[in-house]
Amino acid sequence: MRTKAVLAGTVLICLAYAISVAAQFGYPLKGSWSGYWGPTKTENRLLLLFDWDGKTATGILNPGPDAAPMTNIRLDPPAGGVDNADKPWTVHWEADKKDSAGKTIHVTVDGKLDNLGAYRRRMYGSWTEGTAKGEFDVTLN
């Protein structure tokens, strides 16, 4: 009986530790991401800032004088849940930014998020900015 109690206690301690480690990562998008997007080899440098208040994700595309708030931010786990934990999550967001003439350009991003359990997560996928289309690739800083 004592062996079962010790085993149960050990399992509970391990479970508590695993939960606390997972909680340290927080919301998967939260943080500063940097990388590039581009339809050609002339790529555009990106900085993305995401935050999470416990209910809603917010974000800013290229913070600074040319910042554009992100809208419609969605992060969806892979179908199948735990059984597909090694599969990438899908991500979507949009923003309206200004070009050099001050004209509004709509940005739509659809991508995938992988390395979810790692500190240096990666987000990549398709980027549409006005009529320009390309791929983007950013990593969590």
Side-chain angles (χ1 to χ4, degrees):
M1 191 66 170
R2 179 169 158 74
T3 304
K4 285 184 182 179
V6 170
L7 180 60
T10 303
V11 168
L12 287 174
I13 290 169
C14 289
L15 183 59
Y17 177 75
I19 290 170
S20 70
V21 168
Q24 291 174 12
F25 279 109
Y27 186 69
L29 288 179
K30 186 173 181 170
S32 168
W33 299 73
S34 60
Y36 297 90
W37 87 271
T40 64
K41 293 190 187 268
T42 308
E43 295 177 321
N44 303 288
R45 186 96 174 110
L46 289 173
L47 180 60
L48 311 174
L49 290 179
F50 288 96
D51 200 6
W52 173 252
D53 66 6
K55 294 180 183 179
T56 306
T58 57
I60 299 173
L61 166 62
N62 292 330
D66 298 324
M70 295 180 200
T71 60
N72 301 323
I73 300 170
R74 278 193 330 267
L75 177 64
D76 298 311
V82 175
D83 292 335
N84 286 321
D86 61 333
K87 302 278 192 261
W89 291 39
T90 58
V91 81
H92 170 90
W93 56 268
E94 300 173 32
D96 289 320
K97 63 179 264 184
K98 303 282 185 188
D99 67 7
S100 58
K103 180 181 172 190
T104 300
I105 299 174
H106 190 69
V107 176
T108 303
V109 175
D110 288 295
K112 298 193 182 302
L113 174 66
D114 63 14
N115 294 336
L116 196 60
Y119 178 74
R120 298 231 2 142
R121 298 175 190 137
R122 177 178 175 237
M123 190 183 344
Y124 57 94
S126 66
W127 184 284
T128 303
E129 188 170 308
T131 58
K133 295 184 181 207
E135 300 296 314
F136 80 100
D137 197 332
V138 293
T139 54
L140 182 63
N141 295 320

